Amino acid sequence: MRIKLFFLLDLITTAIFSTYLFFLRGDETAFSVGLTILIAFSPICLALTSPLVMILSKRAVKFEQSKINNSSALLTLSEADLVAMPLNRFLTDGDYFVTDLIPEGLSQSALLSFAATAEQNSSHELGKIIYKTALGRGLKIQNISAFHEIHGCGVEALVNNTTLRIGNPDWVKAQGVSVSSSLLTKIDQLAVHGKTPLLLSLGNMARGIVAMKDAVKPESKEFVSMLKRKKLETMLLTASSRKTARNFAKNFSLDGIKAGLSPEDKAREVQIQRAKGRTVAVIANEFHDLPALVNADISFLVNEGETTFLNENDEIKLDFEIPSPEKFLLIREIAMKAAELIKQNRRIAYLSWILLVPPALLQILENPPIFFPPIAAGAGVLIFSAIILANSLRAGRKKAEQD
C-alpha cells in the first residue's frame, strides 16, 4: 500500500512539473526534466527493501527443518516480548504415570476402576493413561450410557444412572460435588509436590483422588533459560491447579502463570495480554491449545516429528511449524536479522531520495547550478538499488547465540 501511494505521488509530482515546463519552456525540456523527476522520485529502491530479504529468510527457516505458513509473521516475531506455553508434554515429557490412589469410602481398586470407566472414551492423555493402567491391573471397566468431555476440566459419564466425574478438582467441586476436608488437604499436598491430582465423584459426593506425575524435560529448562537470556518474558498457560503450576513455575523460573484454564480461557488470556500492548508468541504441541495458538500474534506448532493435528486441507494455518521448541529461538534470530536488514534498506532508500530528488527538482530552473539529466537519475537509482540488493543478501540462517 505504501509503495502504491509513493508511485501515485511520483506520477502526480512529475505531471505537475512537466505541465508547468511545457507551457514555460517547451515540450523537449518538459519531457527531459519530467523524466528526471519521475526516475529520481520513483519508489523503486523502497520497493526492493524487503522482497529479497523475505525470500532468503523464509529459505533459512526451511533450512531449520521448519515450516512457515505466514510470511508477515516473521517480522511480527522480531517484535515479540512475551512467550506463552503449556505445561503437559511441553515442559514435561508427557510420560505420565499414576503415583497415588487415595480413596474415600472405596478401595483403591474400585477407585481406579471407576476412574477408568469414566475415562474410557477420553481423548486426553491423562485419561488414556488411567484407562490403560486399570486394564493392566485387570480391573473391571463398566459400560457407560453417556459421556461428555470438557477440555481442560475433565469428563463425566453416566453409569447405572449415576453420574461419574473425574478431573480438575475445582471443576468437579463447581458441579455441586461435596468434598471432605481430608480430600481437600490431600489435593493441596499432592499439588505442592508437583503432582496432578484428579478428583473422582459418584453422584454428588467425592470418592477419591487419582494423582499423576511426569518428569520434567531437562532440555525444557535450558529452553526457558535461553528465552530469559534473550529478554523474553515467559508465561505458563495450563489446566493444572495453581499449586501444581506454581511448583513448575518455580523450577523453571517462569515470569507468570495462569492455571486452571480451559482451552477457551487460554485464548482469553492471550487476548488480554495483546490488549495490554504485548506482542505474544504462543508455542504449543496439542490440539487443546489450538484456541490459544489461533489468538496469538505469532503461533508455533511443535510437532516433534509426529503427525500434527492440522492436515493440509485444514483452513487453519498456524504461522510456524517446528520440530522442537529450540527452533523457536533460531527462527527468532532469523526474524530479527530480517527486520534489521529491512530497516537498513529503507534508510538507504530514503537516502536515495535525499541525494537524487533535490538535483532533479533544480532542473526546473532556467539555469540550474548542476546538470542532472535522466540518465544520471537512472544511474543513481541503479546504484542505490544495487546497494540494497547487496545488503539483502546478508539475510540467511543465523544460529541463536549462546550466552
Side-chain angles (χ1 to χ4, degrees):
M1 185 63 185
R2 180 188 297 180
I3 302 299
K4 292 180 180 178
L5 178 60
F6 278 121
F7 265 122
L8 181 60
L9 290 175
D10 185 22
L11 292 174
I12 292 174
T13 302
T14 301
I16 291 173
F17 285 112
S18 295
T19 302
Y20 169 76
L21 290 172
F22 176 77
F23 289 107
L24 190 67
R25 296 166 57 187
D27 56 353
E28 185 175 338
T29 301
F31 176 78
S32 177
V33 175
L35 185 58
T36 299
I37 294 174
L38 179 68
I39 295 172
F41 194 58
S42 71
I44 292 175
C45 291
L46 193 63
L48 294 174
T49 56
S50 63
L52 183 57
V53 172
M54 296 305 295
I55 290 171
L56 294 177
S57 297
K58 288 173 66 176
R59 186 177 298 174
V61 170
K62 293 179 180 178
F63 186 85
E64 297 294 345
Q65 294 83 47
S66 302
K67 184 178 181 181
I68 177 170
N69 297 316
N70 180 8
S71 299
S72 62
L74 199 60
L75 296 182
T76 306
L77 176 59
S78 67
E79 302 171 355
D81 53 9
L82 174 63
V83 179
M85 65 196 80
L87 174 60
N88 298 337
R89 296 192 65 211
F90 188 83
L91 297 182
T92 62
D93 60 19
D95 293 331
Y96 274 90
F97 55 94
V98 175
T99 60
D100 301 85
L101 292 170
I102 305 172
E104 189 167 80
L106 300 171
S107 67
Q108 287 190 340
S109 296
L111 172 61
L112 184 57
S113 176
F114 277 122
T117 295
E119 296 279 17
Q120 60 187 280
N121 293 329
S122 175
S123 64
H124 197 280
E125 191 68 25
L126 297 185
K128 293 177 181 178
I129 291 170
I130 289 174
Y131 180 68
K132 290 178 180 178
T133 301
L135 287 180
R137 297 185 184 185
L139 301 180
K140 180 181 178 181
I141 308 298
Q142 302 180 58
N143 293 325
I144 58 176
S145 54
F147 175 81
H148 183 48
E149 183 172 17
I150 302 93
H151 293 306
C153 296
V155 300
E156 53 186 8
L158 195 62
V159 182
N160 298 326
N161 295 321
T162 300
T163 301
L164 182 61
R165 296 186 180 92
I166 182 170
N168 185 304
D170 291 335
W171 171 74
V172 175
K173 287 187 290 184
Q175 308 311 305
V177 173
S178 176
V179 187
S180 69
S181 58
S182 175
L183 286 180
L184 290 175
T185 300
K186 287 292 185 182
I187 288 171
D188 288 343
Q189 291 173 348
L190 292 166
V192 167
H193 287 86
K195 298 179 181 180
T196 301
L198 302 178
L199 186 63
L200 176 94
S201 68
L202 288 172
N204 62 354
M205 292 294 295
R207 291 301 184 188
I209 303 167
V210 178
M212 308 185 72
K213 190 174 184 179
D214 66 341
V216 170
K217 290 181 180 178
E219 62 270 25
S220 294
K221 283 193 173 183
E222 177 61 21
F223 172 64
V224 174
S225 296
M226 290 174 68
L227 291 177
K228 296 179 74 66
R229 288 200 296 268
K230 296 298 181 181
K231 310 301 182 184
L232 288 167
E233 189 174 335
T234 54
M235 176 176 286
L236 181 67
L237 303 176
T238 179
S240 299
S241 70
R242 186 164 185 82
K243 289 187 177 180
T244 300
R246 279 177 178 171
N247 180 274
F248 281 97
K250 182 179 179 180
N251 288 336
F252 283 90
S253 300
L254 295 165
D255 296 306
I257 57 170
K258 298 294 179 180
L261 304 180
S262 67
E264 292 71 26
D265 292 333
K266 292 181 181 181
R268 191 156 38 250
E269 286 296 336
V270 170
Q271 291 172 339
I272 289 172
Q273 295 302 320
R274 293 181 66 187
K276 292 179 179 179
R278 313 299 299 276
T279 301
V280 184
V282 173
I283 314 176
N285 57 353
E286 291 193 323
F287 177 79
H288 307 303
D289 296 308
L290 184 57
L293 287 164
V294 171
N295 283 276
D297 290 293
I298 319 103
S299 55
F300 281 79
L301 171 64
V302 183
N303 57 43
E304 297 180 326
E306 302 173 0
T307 303
T308 66
F309 55 75
L310 295 178
N311 298 318
E312 293 296 329
N313 296 327
D314 286 328
E315 293 182 4
I316 298 175
K317 290 293 183 183
L318 301 179
D319 297 324
F320 298 92
E321 294 177 37
I322 55 179
S324 64
E326 292 72 22
K327 293 294 183 181
F328 168 82
L329 287 165
L330 295 176
I331 294 174
R332 181 173 177 267
E333 290 293 328
I334 294 170
M336 295 183 70
K337 181 68 173 181
E340 179 60 27
L341 288 175
I342 290 174
K343 187 183 295 184
Q344 293 173 3
N345 286 344
R346 285 176 180 164
R347 291 171 182 163
I348 296 171
Y350 296 147
L351 180 62
S352 73
W353 281 337
I354 292 173
L355 296 180
L356 299 179
V357 172
L361 292 177
L362 288 175
Q363 304 310 301
I364 299 169
L365 302 175
E366 188 170 349
N367 294 305
I370 59 172
F371 179 59
F372 198 67
I375 192 171
V381 170
L382 284 175
I383 291 171
F384 281 104
S385 296
I387 294 173
I388 289 172
L389 292 176
N391 191 53
S392 298
L393 291 174
R394 295 169 56 204
R397 185 166 64 94
K398 181 178 177 59
K399 294 288 185 181
E401 296 177 4
Q402 302 295 322
D403 293 338

